[in-house]
Amino acid sequence: MTTEIYLDSNATSVVLPAALAAATDAMGQRYGNPSSTHATGLQAKAILDQARACAMRLLGVGQGRLMFNSGATEGIQTAVLSALVALRERRDAGQPIGTLLVYGATEHKAVPESLAHWNRLLGLNLTLHKLPVDHEGAHSLQALRAIAPQAAMVCTMAANNETGVISDLAGIAAALAGSQALWMVDCVQALGKLKLDLAATRIDYAPFSGHKLYAPKGIGMLYVRAGAPFTPLIMGGGQEGGQRSGTENMAGIAALGAVLAALERGDTFRSTAELCGFRARLADSLRAALPGVVFNNPFDKALPTTLNFAVPGLSSRELMDVFDAADVRVSAGSACSSSKAAPSYVLDAMGLPLWRSAGAIRMSFGPLVDAAVIAAACARIERCGAALRAACLIPSERCSAPHDGLLQLGVEGACSWMVLDADSRSCIVIDPLPDHVARIESYVRCQNYQVQAVVSTLPNAGRAMLVEALGRHFNRHAEADDYGWPRQGVRIALANGARVPALQLGAQVLACLPCGTGQELRAYLLGVPHDGALPAAAVRFAFSARPAQQGLAPVSAGHTLLCPTRDEHNQFCTIAEPVATQAAEAQLDSAALAAFLHAHPDALLIDVREPHEFAATVAPAWAGRSVHSVPLSRLAEHASAWLHAEPTPLVFFCRSGNRSLKAAHCLRRLGHPQAYSLNGGVALAAPLPLAA
Ligand code: PLP
């Protein structure tokens, strides 16, 4: 049973059942080559002719050309090549041509990349010029009017893929009045959503792509206005009237033909009014579930099928992850790495602040969607909101159950640590990074913790921002030294006989140890004291900058976990004598999991996704099996417990196998003999037989 709700239709769509049937027919029954003159060939040609005729009617092609190709990227190449070859010929013939290749600032990358490529290859050396857009994503017509006389080619899109913003094509045409410029309009996102009557416009080239509207990938179309310059991109057997050689992708053409026929009949897809209603319902759910959500696209100027939003305090990675765990497929509005999202160039071009651009999520659906899917999506959005609230990632009226133990923030590069004590509702923050101030503050407020101290391993490190932000949640009475360490406090004896200052946190103490060559660094030791002392064996964790770690040997034990303040290599924590590990042996294929668990009934299945992902999960990958939730941010604490207990096989998993591999490597390095990562994660997981 699939629980997936697919809301990423601007990336690609499922194939329409009628299109699938048409493709199957074109491969199974009518499999001929349309260039063959025998009956089998003629049957295939009939499919081709029908699909083309339908497309020509639907798009208002008139006397223009309409050729099938592999998709919009090819269509864009062909259009750019055609225009630039003609420009070069005109220039070589001594005719005046414009000097600018103009493209909208929010175009798909295929456009500026193709312009740059063919401009260079053809030796034209024209100037690429980015046309600005306003804060709602509309092209600046004023700027276009100003450069229109110098424009050799202009490329604008009909609707944007990230925001759905619809271009004012009539306004652009008016701005180009009198200009010689050739005009390409990327119609990929417009197909089936906007009425197009191409021959009635001055558009010279319009590329389309099948897979954005329920046809398979690898099939597209290019419209070329009657009389517009044309140069084939691919030469060969003369198919498509010599305009695009290569035996036709008949399965794709048949499928696209079926989609176009459905569009023409008007009996398959929802009306714009219905789609607007669906968008409004999704937007209402998002507002209710995610306080402070802002929409990055103006609904009244965008396709009704695209929402683009950001939530204060949440990265697009976190939002993507929680939606994915809830089996709702959306996309980050921007390319993102595992920790920090790169801002979206589309939203940047609209001048949106960085947090909205780097935190953007795109939710898009197709015109086939129905009310049941939207209702289910709204319920999942609510579920995601609840999961984020429980994890204290968004503000919540009700305080969630207090968290306890050790928390590592920022798993790449540098890290801050929090030592939490649920019983006393108090905590200590070690080495807070400026990037984590807002996160720590909202977490502490949500958990209603009192922060006893904010300490650092270096003197005068930037703690002030956090202390300021914490307000009443910070214990301001204690006077502190340059490391944030409160001057009053208890002292505790360490294994080397030194008596050092310590802070009590529930049953544990955090001891402060000057170290480093000039004693300018500090390390902090955490453990449960015995009779006023913290013997080496009782030290569970040591927090320090790496150069100080050598100085810890006399006061810590072999099993003490060293928690670094920088963690460029995602090690989470180390021990004094790391154990070598081999990547391959730490991986387990999903197909081998059932047998592994059968052979190791005591093995623990550990989900290392963050708590909000765990909470949002709708259909656990392994129903009936007990699964432990140990997010990477909690790995150090659990690692310490696993290393102390009888060794039990540990099978880590996450969404794709990335995070779980880091966890498995960490445990192997710490000396655990049987830590594994599930290759491919839950995304590729094969269902397990129910445990006996
Ligand atoms: N143009 C736009 C606006 C798109 O959204 C896409 C697809 O992401 C393309 C062009 C490229 O299309 P294709 O995948 O058919 O090459």
Side-chain angles (χ1 to χ4, degrees):
M1 189 190 73
T2 174
T3 63
E4 175 180 296
I5 298 177
Y6 187 78
L7 294 179
D8 199 16
S9 300
N10 286 12
T12 197
S13 59
V14 67
V15 174
L16 187 74
L20 196 57
T24 307
D25 172 61
M27 289 186 286
Q29 307 302 314
R30 292 190 282 167
Y31 56 85
N33 184 332
S35 300
S36 303
T37 49
H38 49 60
T40 310
L42 294 178
Q43 285 164 8
K45 185 158 186 306
I47 299 176
L48 186 63
D49 292 343
Q50 242 172 22
R52 196 188 324 274
C54 181
M56 291 182 76
R57 287 193 301 274
L58 202 68
L59 304 175
V61 167
Q63 300 304 306
R65 310 164 190 245
L66 188 104
M67 67 206 73
F68 291 109
N69 58 18
S70 67
T73 302
E74 184 187 328
I76 292 165
Q77 305 304 305
T78 312
V80 169
L81 175 71
S82 298
L84 268 52
V85 164
L87 287 166
R88 194 171 68 170
E89 281 169 1
R90 283 182 207 164
R91 190 172 69 182
D92 289 351
Q95 294 167 16
I97 60 166
T99 54
L100 302 180
L101 299 174
V102 181
Y103 64 96
T106 58
E107 287 299 302
H108 188 277
K109 285 288 175 211
V111 172
E113 292 297 322
S114 303
L115 285 171
H117 178 70
W118 292 109
N119 185 37
R120 195 174 49 241
L121 232 60
L122 295 172
L124 263 164
N125 299 321
L126 300 179
T127 304
L128 262 70
H129 183 95
K130 197 190 285 188
L131 179 65
V133 296
D134 68 12
H135 68 285
E136 292 191 318
H139 298 103
S140 166
L141 297 183
Q142 194 187 2
L144 184 58
R145 264 192 301 276
I147 55 169
Q150 294 107 277
M153 182 177 195
V154 173
C155 303
T156 56
M157 58 201 335
N160 184 269
N161 45 310
E162 285 192 28
T163 59
V165 166
I166 299 168
S167 299
D168 174 6
L169 294 181
I172 294 171
L176 290 178
S179 164
Q180 293 279 308
L182 292 160
W183 185 21
M184 179 181 79
V185 177
D186 174 346
C187 288
V188 168
Q189 299 292 343
L191 185 64
K193 297 165 198 164
L194 293 177
K195 173 112 189 70
L196 294 169
D197 190 6
L198 293 168
T201 69
R202 69 163 278 180
I203 296 170
D204 295 294
Y205 309 99
F208 295 87
S209 181
H211 73 102
K212 307 289 182 176
L213 193 77
Y214 304 115
K217 288 150 209 52
I219 184 66
M221 304 180 282
L222 176 66
Y223 159 81
V224 182
R225 191 176 55 77
F230 180 78
T231 297
L233 177 71
I234 300 178
M235 292 303 291
Q239 288 87 347
E240 291 293 278
Q243 301 168 126
R244 199 275 187 184
S245 286
T247 302
E248 295 84 347
N249 167 6
M250 288 307 300
I253 291 170
L256 181 56
V259 173
L260 297 172
L263 265 179
E264 195 176 33
R265 285 196 313 274
D267 60 359
T268 306
F269 301 115
R270 309 273 154 204
S271 68
T272 301
E274 282 174 295
L275 297 173
C276 284
F278 291 155
R279 175 179 60 188
R281 286 182 59 191
L282 288 174
D284 285 347
S285 288
L286 290 167
R287 285 188 195 100
L290 306 170
V293 65
V294 282
F295 292 96
N296 293 326
N297 56 342
F299 285 0
D300 58 336
K301 294 179 181 136
L303 296 174
T305 45
T306 306
L307 298 97
N308 189 310
F309 60 89
V311 181
L314 289 180
S315 66
S316 56
R317 174 82 274 162
E318 285 162 329
L319 284 163
M320 274 277 294
D321 286 347
V322 76
F323 279 116
D324 212 31
D327 277 345
V328 179
R329 309 293 177 236
V330 296
S331 71
S334 51
C336 57
S337 70
S338 54
S339 63
K340 283 196 169 176
S344 142
Y345 71 90
V346 170
L347 301 179
D348 274 357
M350 291 163 63
L352 297 190
L354 185 67
W355 75 268
R356 284 171 66 180
S357 163
I361 288 291
R362 178 184 70 185
M363 208 173 239
S364 54
F365 50 91
L368 205 56
V369 75
D370 61 26
V373 169
I374 297 295
C378 291
R380 298 279 177 88
I381 290 170
E382 207 173 291
R383 187 183 181 94
C384 290
L388 291 165
R389 271 196 298 282
C392 285
L393 287 177
I394 52 176
S396 163
E397 292 293 302
R398 280 194 303 123
C399 199
S400 64
H403 302 166
D404 198 44
L406 203 58
L407 183 66
Q408 183 182 20
L409 286 166
V411 282
E412 275 184 31
C415 40
S416 320
W417 294 87
M418 292 180 81
V419 189
L420 308 160
D421 181 58
D423 288 341
S424 61
R425 288 248 174 183
S426 60
C427 66
I428 296 170
V429 184
I430 301 169
D431 277 339
L433 292 157
D435 275 1
H436 294 149
V437 166
R439 178 58 56 90
I440 295 173
E441 186 275 328
S442 64
Y443 183 78
V444 163
R445 190 157 33 85
C446 166
Q447 288 269 299
N448 200 16
Y449 268 102
Q450 196 62 22
V451 179
Q452 278 201 36
V454 177
V455 299
S456 58
T457 53
L458 283 169
N460 302 314
R463 300 179 321 270
M465 250 167 84
L466 177 61
V467 167
E468 180 66 31
L470 286 171
R472 68 176 180 85
H473 290 278
F474 179 70
N475 175 12
R476 289 169 182 275
H477 305 303
E479 206 192 314
D481 67 14
D482 287 347
Y483 297 77
W485 188 266
R487 290 198 194 275
Q488 297 99 13
V490 294
R491 287 199 165 252
I492 199 158
L494 300 182
N496 63 355
R499 285 185 65 76
V500 297
L503 288 173
Q504 193 81 34
L505 193 74
Q508 305 189 89
V509 289
L510 187 76
C512 165
L513 181 73
C515 52
T517 40
Q519 304 279 291
E520 73 288 0
L521 298 174
R522 290 264 172 99
Y524 299 99
L525 309 177
L526 184 69
V528 178
H530 298 289
D531 300 330
L534 191 60
V539 178
R540 279 184 72 197
F541 302 101
F543 306 91
S544 72
R546 259 185 235 288
Q549 286 180 347
Q550 297 92 319
L552 298 175
V555 292
S556 62
H559 60 249
T560 301
L561 293 192
L562 308 178
C563 301
T565 53
R566 290 208 57 84
D567 187 20
E568 293 88 349
H569 306 297
N570 289 303
Q571 297 202 323
F572 306 99
C573 50
T574 55
I575 48 172
E577 287 161 21
V579 178
T581 174
Q582 280 175 9
E585 67 183 27
Q587 303 221 38
L588 202 60
D589 272 341
S590 107
L593 182 63
F596 183 87
L597 293 179
H598 187 71
H600 303 278
D602 58 335
L604 299 181
L605 270 171
I606 301 156
D607 186 339
V608 296
R609 294 176 300 170
E610 290 302 305
H612 51 283
E613 296 168 73
F614 189 72
T617 301
V618 181
W622 298 292
R625 299 271 171 170
S626 95
V627 167
H628 302 258
S629 165
V630 178
L632 285 188
S633 51
R634 296 286 188 153
L635 190 67
E637 183 186 341
H638 287 80
S640 161
W642 290 320
L643 292 168
H644 276 81
E646 268 301 293
T648 301
L650 306 173
V651 181
F652 296 106
F653 67 90
C654 60
R655 179 180 51 179
S656 66
N658 244 325
R659 288 177 280 180
S660 55
L661 189 59
K662 289 175 187 165
H665 279 164
C666 173
L667 265 292
R668 291 276 177 127
R669 227 179 11 252
L670 297 176
H672 196 289
Q674 285 176 288
Y676 298 92
S677 161
L678 182 68
N679 213 357
V682 285
L684 305 186
L688 280 182
L690 279 181

